[in-house]
C-alpha cells in the first residue's frame, strides 16, 4: 500500500535559517504529492503540491520538487520566520477513483527570534 | 478553493454520550471526507461521505461508532457515538472540488475532549 515517511521532529531553528524537512514515499503508479501546514489551534492548509515527476511546487517562499528517482518530496525554505512555526505534513494522493490522502507523521517546526 | 466551516469548533463531552459534527461548504463538491487526528498524531481517514448513499469506511472504523450522513453536495455530518476518552481528538472534514482534481481542502476542525 501507499506510505509516506517524514523527517522526525521537532525541529527548532533560528529566524532566517535554512529549512529542510525530508519526505519520502512509497506508492504504486504516479501519485500527486502535497505539503500541508497546520498552525496552532487550526485546521490544515494546503501549502504546495506537485502532480508529476520533476514538478516544483512553491508558495510563501517554500519549495518542494517531485523526485521520482528518489521517491522524495523534500520541503525547503531559504529563510524561515517566526510565523512559520507550525506542524508540516507531507501527503500523497494515488489519483485513483478514491483519491484518498495518505499522510506522513508530521514535523513540528519552531522558529525562534 | 472553497470556504469550509465546521460546527462545533470544540466541545467537552461526558463518557457514553454522542456528538454530531457538521461540515458545511459554500459550493457543491464532488467528494467529502472525515479524518481523525489524535493528540500529537497525524491524520487518519475515517470514511468517505457519499452523497445519497452509505459512507465508505476505512479499516478500523465502523458505522455504529461513526455514523455519517451526506444529504446533499454541500453538507455532511459525523457522529461520534458512545464516546470514551480515547475518542478525544480533532475531527476534520475535507472536500474535493471537482472530478479532475485530487487536491483536498480542509475545514478548521472540531476539537473534542471526552471526560
Amino acid at each position: 500500500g501507499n506510505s509516506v515517511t517524514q523527517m522526525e521532529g521537532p525541529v527548532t531553528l533560528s529566524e532566517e535559517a535554512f529549512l529542510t524537512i525530508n519526505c519520502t514515499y512509497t506508492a504504486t503508479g504516479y501519485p500527486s504529492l502535497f505539503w500541508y501546514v497546520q498552525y496552532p489551534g487550526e485546521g490544515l492548509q494546503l501549502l504546495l503540491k506537485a502532480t508529476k515527476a520533476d514538478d516544483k511546487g512553491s508558495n510563501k517562499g517554500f519549495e518542494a520538487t517531485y523526485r521520482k528517482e528518489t521517491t522524495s518530496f523534500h520541503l525547503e525554505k531559504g529563510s524561515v520566520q517566526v510565523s512559520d512555526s507550525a506542524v508540516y505534513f507531507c501527503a500523497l494522493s494515488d489519483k485513483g477513483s478514491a483519491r484518498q490522502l495518505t499522510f506522513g507523521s508530521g514535523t513540528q517546526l519552531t522558529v525562534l527570534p | 478553493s472553497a470556504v469550509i466551516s465546521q460546527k462545533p469548533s470544540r466541545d467537552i463531552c461526558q463518557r457514553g454520550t454522542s456528538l454530531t459534527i457538521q461540515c458545511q461548504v459554500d459550493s457543491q463538491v464532488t467528494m467529502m471526507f472525515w479524518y481523525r487526528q489524535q493528540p500529537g498524531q497525524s491524520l487518519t481517514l475515517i470514511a468517505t461521505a457519499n452523497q445519497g448513499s452509505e459512507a465508505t469506511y476505512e479499516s478500523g472504523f465502523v458505522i455504529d461508532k461513526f455514523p455519517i450522513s451526506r444529504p446533499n453536495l454541500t453538507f455532511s455530518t459525523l457522529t461520534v457515538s458512545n464516546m470514551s476518552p480515547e475518542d478525544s481528538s480533532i475531527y476534520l472534514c475535507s472536500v474535493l472540488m471537482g472530478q479532475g482534481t485530487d487536491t483536498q481542502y480542509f475545514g478548521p476542525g472540531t476539537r473534542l475532549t471526552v471526560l
Side-chain angles (χ1 to χ4, degrees):
Chain A
N2 298 333
S3 67
V4 176
T5 302
Q6 200 173 325
M7 174 176 171
E8 291 285 333
V11 174
T12 302
L13 296 173
S14 297
E15 204 164 24
E16 300 184 2
F18 184 86
L19 168 71
T20 299
I21 301 178
N22 291 337
C23 172
T24 57
Y25 67 89
T26 301
T28 54
Y30 302 97
S32 293
L33 301 173
F34 306 86
W35 278 100
Y36 285 87
V37 58
Q38 186 175 35
Y39 296 103
E42 299 185 11
L44 266 68
Q45 298 179 23
L46 177 66
L47 182 60
L48 54 84
K49 64 179 278 191
T51 59
K52 61 184 187 297
D54 300 325
D55 267 1
K56 177 185 284 188
S58 61
N59 185 25
K60 300 181 180 180
F62 291 90
E63 293 182 340
T65 301
Y66 190 143
R67 300 287 188 200
K68 177 171 170 287
E69 63 276 14
T70 55
T71 61
S72 65
F73 193 55
H74 305 321
L75 183 67
E76 296 182 337
K77 187 175 185 183
S79 176
V80 293
Q81 305 300 311
V82 172
S83 57
D84 294 326
S85 298
V87 181
Y88 292 81
F89 292 95
C90 184
L92 70 81
S93 172
D94 63 8
K95 297 182 181 175
S97 60
R99 286 182 281 173
Q100 297 174 355
L101 282 174
T102 301
F103 283 90
S105 56
T107 300
Q108 172 77 55
L109 170 67
T110 300
V111 181
L112 302 175
Chain B
S1 62
V3 176
I4 306 167
S5 60
Q6 286 186 232
K7 289 182 182 179
S9 59
R10 58 178 64 231
D11 208 341
I12 301 173
C13 300
Q14 295 299 317
R15 182 195 299 261
T17 63
S18 298
L19 176 72
T20 295
I21 302 167
Q22 299 179 2
C23 179
Q24 178 74 57
V25 192
D26 69 342
S27 56
Q28 292 184 352
V29 298
T30 53
M31 298 181 78
M32 299 180 77
F33 305 89
W34 286 99
Y35 289 83
R36 180 176 73 183
Q37 185 181 22
Q38 294 177 298
Q41 303 296 314
S42 187
L43 281 76
T44 301
L45 180 64
I46 298 173
T48 303
N50 300 309
Q51 194 264 328
S53 64
E54 194 170 286
T56 304
Y57 290 84
E58 297 301 302
S59 175
F61 298 96
V62 295
I63 187 171
D64 289 347
K65 176 66 176 178
F66 297 102
I68 288 170
S69 77
R70 189 181 170 194
N72 56 51
L73 294 175
T74 64
F75 184 78
S76 177
T77 66
L78 168 74
T79 298
V80 186
S81 303
N82 188 25
M83 289 184 285
S84 67
E86 292 70 36
D87 294 319
S88 297
S89 297
I90 301 173
Y91 292 87
L92 300 103
C93 69
S94 72
V95 304
L96 281 171
M97 299 300 300
Q99 292 291 348
T101 179
D102 57 2
T103 301
Q104 291 188 26
Y105 295 94
F106 285 80
T110 295
R111 187 177 297 270
L112 171 62
T113 301
V114 184
L115 302 177

